[in-house]
Amino acid sequence: MKTFSSKNRKIILDDDKILIKKILSGEESSFEEIMRKYNKRIFNFVLRMVRNEEVAIELTQDFFIKIFTKLYKYNFEYKFSTWAYRICYNLVIDYIRKNQTYVNSLDDDSTYKKNSYMRESSTKEDGADVLEREEVKSYLWKTVNLLPVKYKELILLRYIQELKYDEISEVTNLPIGTVKNRIFKAKDLLRKEIEKDGMLKK
Amino acid sequence: MECLKNKTIQEYIDKSLNRVESSITRDHLIVCEKCRTKYEQYKKMEKLLNNPIYKEPPAKIEKFVMNRLFSKIPTYSSIFALIALSFILLVSWIYIYFDFNNNSIIQAFKLTSNSAFNWITSIITFISNIFSSVYAIFKVLNKLFMIIFNVNIGTQLFGLIILSIFIGVFFFVSRIVYKKLKGHN
């Protein structure tokens, strides 16, 4: 691992930072590598947030273009992934604010009506059959899509982007306590929702 | 014994409780079936959340971004636009400052050229006519500019400014058209 010092502070150059240095020195293939590394997680995060594939594609493209144009502003003292996810997060939140597309989501008070997917699945589960793990997983992730945005964004940052609580707090600008509480609350909602359909029974 | 809070169970799974809290929780889970069921559910859910279902991103994302950021064509079109601009400026300069049409060498060539070189004379006359027309247009536009803004910057300078703007617009439009075409392929 390479190191270099900036303002008397030693900065560890991880793989991402080495790639960024190469991009800044004009190496196109390094940007391609960065894209390949983050494409899947960014696209899936955006897709689950906006729930529209065409929009997700556009936003993912915008994200990479934005990353490239802002790269000269990147401070090597910080982790690249956190910096990038923050840009992605802001892009998606801006889009959602401008296009209020959330009508169908789970509420804290459970007074919502189940969407078609859920109705379809519950009829299937009326039988006493034990469901396959993959089916439960798919059901759980579809339920994640229905969470209110303030919970969903944190669940996605935690499990799709694989960020730690402190990194999520940095990305979203929320205090770490709020991040933890919201994630607990979100998992609570998810568990209750799935439990209703007996999905988590052994 | 009071049941565990949902948050405590999750913190226990997260391993974010301190040693004392953790052992109290563990002991409670041994004796309380209700909390143990919840614990099992949270644990199972945690496992499922840790293995998300990823959708493969379409290949067009990378392709689009790379084309947009590193397209070679703007470089070629820049060179082309630069050559075109230089050519127009050079010819304009020759015409305006050396009075191309009345230049003694051109006049001498026109007078002495025989039928074998008539095509050169025709080309010279053609270029002269184009420049005369363009010059006339610039003169009229400059007059209008003078009337509107009450500033006289001279037909020649005015013409050069208009030409530069035209080349710039041409360059940007051709770039946009190229990108649209490339995007469709």
Side-chain angles (χ1 to χ4, degrees):
Chain A
M1 205 170 261
K2 288 179 189 173
T3 58
F4 78 97
S5 56
S6 147
K7 292 175 194 163
N8 301 325
R9 285 178 68 177
K10 227 174 197 184
I11 292 169
I12 300 160
L13 279 186
D14 56 21
D15 289 352
D16 280 354
K17 288 177 186 171
I18 292 169
L19 285 174
I20 303 306
K21 284 220 150 264
K22 284 183 185 170
I23 298 167
L24 289 172
S25 64
E27 210 175 277
E28 287 174 24
S29 59
S30 299
F31 190 72
E32 224 171 340
E33 226 172 293
I34 284 279
M35 257 207 308
R36 226 166 282 143
K37 186 173 172 185
Y38 287 96
N39 199 1
K40 197 169 167 183
R41 275 189 277 170
I42 294 289
F43 174 70
N44 277 275
F45 172 76
V46 180
L47 182 63
R48 285 183 183 279
M49 285 297 282
V50 299
R51 285 155 68 181
N52 177 324
E53 189 161 346
E54 279 309 305
V55 176
I57 292 171
E58 266 178 43
L59 285 176
T60 311
Q61 288 167 346
D62 287 353
F63 161 76
F64 283 116
I65 291 165
K66 209 166 185 180
I67 280 285
F68 183 80
T69 49
K70 279 191 166 187
L71 214 51
Y72 70 97
K73 282 186 187 169
Y74 168 64
N75 185 343
F76 279 84
E77 284 177 31
Y78 301 100
K79 210 172 157 188
F80 171 74
S81 57
T82 317
W83 178 78
Y85 289 141
R86 193 176 180 147
I87 292 176
C88 173
Y89 173 79
N90 289 334
L91 203 72
V92 173
I93 293 298
D94 273 356
Y95 175 83
I96 291 173
R97 272 189 202 136
K98 278 178 202 155
N99 310 272
Q100 295 285 338
T101 48
Y102 287 83
V103 215
N104 221 358
S105 70
L106 292 178
D107 277 324
D108 301 60
D109 58 3
S110 302
T111 51
Y112 71 96
K113 285 179 181 172
K114 286 186 173 187
N115 72 357
S116 59
Y117 169 77
M118 288 187 142
R119 272 197 299 274
E120 191 191 300
S121 328
S122 357
T123 49
K124 260 193 243 163
E125 280 126 41
D126 285 338
D129 299 24
V130 178
L131 284 147
E132 290 293 322
R133 192 189 139 85
E134 283 306 307
E135 213 175 323
V136 184
K137 194 159 103 176
S138 144
Y139 185 81
L140 173 73
W141 277 100
K142 277 182 180 167
T143 315
V144 168
N145 287 348
L146 299 174
L147 283 172
V149 185
K150 67 172 180 176
Y151 297 131
K152 182 162 77 169
E153 60 185 28
L154 302 183
I155 288 284
L156 297 180
L157 287 169
R158 176 108 174 110
Y159 296 101
I160 294 272
Q161 312 282 37
E162 295 168 14
L163 299 183
K164 292 175 194 146
Y165 291 125
D166 57 332
E167 289 171 332
I168 298 175
S169 155
E170 230 175 281
V171 168
T172 56
N173 244 346
L174 288 169
I176 194 159
T178 313
V179 170
K180 277 186 183 177
N181 282 334
R182 281 195 191 168
I183 289 179
F184 292 150
K185 179 80 186 160
K187 285 200 270 189
D188 221 27
L189 281 171
L190 283 176
R191 187 188 63 84
K192 279 178 191 157
E193 193 47 49
I194 293 170
E195 199 195 354
K196 271 186 202 166
D197 296 307
M199 281 286 211
L200 287 173
K201 279 179 189 164
K202 279 187 176 176
Chain B
M1 204 178 187
E2 209 177 298
C3 272
L4 296 167
K5 284 180 184 164
N6 290 345
K7 194 184 165 195
T8 314
I9 301 175
Q10 290 193 50
E11 282 174 326
Y12 178 70
I13 293 167
D14 259 9
K15 294 189 174 87
S16 52
L17 293 175
N18 63 38
R19 278 177 83 178
V20 180
E21 290 169 328
S22 185
S23 66
I24 294 170
T25 310
R26 193 178 53 236
D27 292 347
H28 181 86
L29 286 174
I30 294 168
V31 293
C32 179
E33 205 191 328
K34 198 179 155 197
C35 288
R36 205 166 51 241
T37 312
K38 266 192 199 171
Y39 164 78
E40 293 295 339
Q41 287 176 340
Y42 277 123
K43 219 175 162 189
K44 192 170 178 184
M45 209 172 74
E46 189 68 24
K47 211 173 170 184
L48 297 174
L49 285 170
N50 273 312
N51 290 292
I53 300 166
Y54 284 111
K55 188 170 181 165
E56 214 43 57
K60 69 175 176 183
I61 294 180
E62 273 188 39
K63 210 175 153 191
F64 176 87
V65 176
M66 290 307 280
N67 273 342
R68 180 81 183 267
L69 295 176
F70 305 111
S71 176
K72 297 278 184 280
I73 290 307
T75 327
Y76 291 137
S77 46
S78 315
I79 294 166
F80 172 72
L82 209 68
I83 292 169
L85 181 70
S86 318
F87 177 74
I88 291 173
L89 291 182
L90 183 76
V91 176
S92 313
W93 184 69
I94 293 172
Y95 181 73
I96 292 163
Y97 292 98
F98 288 91
D99 201 0
F100 187 81
N101 218 17
N102 300 319
N103 187 288
S104 55
I105 301 168
I106 301 295
Q107 286 296 324
F109 187 82
K110 272 185 182 173
L111 291 170
T112 54
S113 67
N114 52 34
S115 56
F117 292 104
N118 264 349
W119 61 275
I120 297 180
T121 321
S122 310
I123 289 172
I124 291 169
T125 316
F126 179 69
I127 293 171
S128 302
N129 288 342
I130 288 176
F131 273 101
S132 303
S133 325
V134 173
Y135 194 80
I137 293 167
F138 286 158
K139 210 168 179 175
V140 172
L141 288 175
N142 188 40
K143 284 274 178 216
L144 278 173
F145 189 80
M146 264 171 71
I147 293 163
I148 298 166
F149 298 102
N150 204 19
V151 183
N152 185 13
I153 53 169
T155 308
Q156 289 142 358
L157 184 62
F158 185 81
L160 290 182
I161 292 168
I162 296 284
L163 278 174
S164 312
I165 293 170
F166 176 76
I167 298 279
V169 170
F170 172 77
F171 170 67
F172 279 110
V173 169
S174 56
R175 220 176 115 159
I176 291 164
V177 169
Y178 175 78
K179 270 181 190 168
K180 288 260 181 224
L181 288 174
K182 209 172 179 191
H184 284 298
N185 292 333

